[in-house]
Amino acid sequence: VAQALVVLLGVVLISTGWPALAAQTPVIRRDPREDAFIDVWSTSKVTLVSRRVRFRVRFTGPDWKVNVLVDSRGGQRAEYKLSNVVALGPMTCGGRRLFDGEIELRCGLRMLDVGAQVAWWRIPRAELRPDKRIRWRIHTFYPGAENHDDDDFAPDSGWYP
């Protein structure tokens, strides 16, 4: 009877996707609150081992452009740029391999009740062609700004691991 219960429990866990949840590796980083017009509060990256990578950015601001620069090869520069824009109109989002065109992804925006938004991107892991740990950094700015004095970078320098 005990063996049958263990087998039944195993079947239930496998059929509900428990192994995929166990294989997630989340990385969450916080950014200090600043006076930037579009201020990044936090960001996260979740990698589902062989399937996809999910990025999220929590920020404040009325009209914005949020860029997530992604490095999957360990070089000096990003290979990918993910964007989310609201400027005098509806939200648009997307992603591209720098110098090589659009990539397959899903993206969107969730409004929070605390005056903040969460932009998100979900990318098949194969699209990123990683051969090193995937790093990322964020640049936010107001699309109509005359200068970039109020831009926010997260982290302030370097990359999130």
Side-chain angles (χ1 to χ4, degrees):
V1 174
Q3 281 182 325
L5 286 174
V6 169
V7 169
L8 181 61
L9 180 62
V11 168
V12 168
L13 290 175
I14 288 171
S15 66
T16 59
W18 178 76
L21 294 175
Q24 291 184 7
T25 52
V27 177
I28 300 170
R29 299 290 185 253
R30 308 245 183 268
D31 192 54
R33 303 274 168 101
E34 300 167 323
D35 290 334
F37 194 72
I38 297 92
D39 187 25
V40 174
W41 288 1
S42 65
T43 181
S44 66
K45 175 189 74 168
V46 175
T47 303
L48 278 81
V49 171
S50 62
R51 298 177 52 207
R52 65 179 177 256
V53 180
R54 182 177 61 214
F55 294 94
R56 290 185 180 167
V57 178
R58 183 176 177 178
F59 62 97
T60 61
D63 289 343
W64 65 82
K65 181 160 188 176
V66 176
N67 289 325
V68 177
L69 302 169
V70 179
D71 170 32
S72 64
R73 307 253 172 176
Q76 296 290 328
R77 301 173 63 171
E79 289 96 26
Y80 303 89
K81 179 169 80 170
L82 313 175
S83 62
N84 190 301
V85 181
V86 169
L88 302 174
M91 183 273 302
T92 60
C93 62
R96 62 182 302 108
R97 193 173 287 114
L98 294 175
F99 313 110
D100 195 23
E102 300 293 316
I103 61 173
E104 176 189 340
L105 60 75
R106 292 181 55 205
C107 54
L109 180 74
R110 192 175 76 217
M111 304 299 261
L112 304 176
D113 59 358
V114 295
Q117 300 88 9
V118 175
W120 60 269
W121 299 263
R122 192 171 299 143
I123 308 159
R125 186 173 164 81
E127 276 287 340
L128 296 178
R129 299 185 235 161
D131 62 4
K132 302 278 190 251
R133 171 180 258 177
I134 297 171
R135 308 180 307 164
W136 79 103
R137 62 175 307 169
I138 301 159
H139 175 214
T140 66
F141 60 94
Y142 177 63
E146 293 181 14
N147 58 47
H148 291 281
D149 293 343
D150 287 326
D151 290 13
D152 191 18
F153 295 90
D156 290 331
S157 64
W159 298 85
Y160 288 122

